[in-house]
Amino acid sequence: MTGTSSTPISGDPFWSVVRQRHRDVDLAIVDAPELPRAGAVSTAVPARSAEAIDRDVQALWEALLPGVPAQAQHRWVGDGRDEQRESTLTATTGVSAEALASAAATLRTDGWQVLLPPAGLPRVLADREGATLALVQASPGRTVLRMRTPIS
């Protein structure tokens, strides 16, 4: 654009000054993309329901730590564009290192990428298809599974 009085640059307080000081630079104004209208029909694939995600996480706990009862908490996390369901299941009993190793083997068999960190709290870290989980022996009397799951 040349920066003449008929262009959008000449009426813009920032770009008009840039144009005046740097006449050797070519400037182009690009229109912003049109935002969807309110009430527009979405063609997005429906997301999994929170209840379905919660059931899946509970079933995973039962597969990893059979017979260990858990208290569950669920919440949404994210910035509105990339929301995830975070589930935290806690048992008031500790689990053995063998139980954590067995849980890691179960996760690997199910296609999870698994990490057993050698230092720190005994834990299993895993991820698969955007979901992440941490199964941690937080103290001798407390085991925690925290999982974040994409909603789609």
Side-chain angles (χ1 to χ4, degrees), residues 45-70:
V45 175
R48 292 175 54 210
S49 72
E51 294 79 16
I53 294 170
D54 298 345
R55 283 191 304 272
D56 290 348
V57 173
Q58 185 67 41
L60 181 61
W61 172 275
E62 292 167 6
L64 298 177
L65 300 172
V68 178

Side-chain angles (χ1 to χ4, degrees), residues 76-84:
W76 290 106
V77 294
D79 60 6
R81 290 173 286 158
D82 183 28
E83 285 193 329
Q84 295 186 338

Side-chain angles (χ1 to χ4, degrees), residues 63-134:
L64 298 177
L65 300 172
V68 178
Q71 298 175 349
Q73 295 178 334
H74 308 283
R75 67 186 182 126
W76 290 106
V77 294
D79 60 6
R81 290 173 286 158
D82 183 28
E83 285 193 329
Q84 295 186 338
R85 185 74 169 166
E86 182 178 88
S87 300
T88 303
L89 283 72
T90 306
T92 55
T93 181
V95 296
S96 66
E98 293 82 22
L100 288 175
S102 176
T106 300
L107 290 166
R108 278 191 192 98
T109 301
D110 287 344
W112 291 79
Q113 293 180 355
V114 178
L115 174 66
L116 290 166
L121 293 172
R123 66 199 180 278
V124 176
L125 306 174
D127 63 49
R128 179 180 72 178
E129 300 171 0
T132 60
L133 74 80

Side-chain angles (χ1 to χ4, degrees), residues 9 14 25 40 42 76 81 93 151:
I9 292 174
F14 176 79
V25 175
S42 173
W76 290 106
R81 290 173 286 158
T93 181
I151 59 172

Side-chain angles (χ1 to χ4, degrees), residues 28-50:
I29 303 294
V30 179
D31 290 333
E34 188 175 317
L35 298 174
R37 296 181 318 268
V41 178
S42 173
T43 59
V45 175
R48 292 175 54 210
S49 72

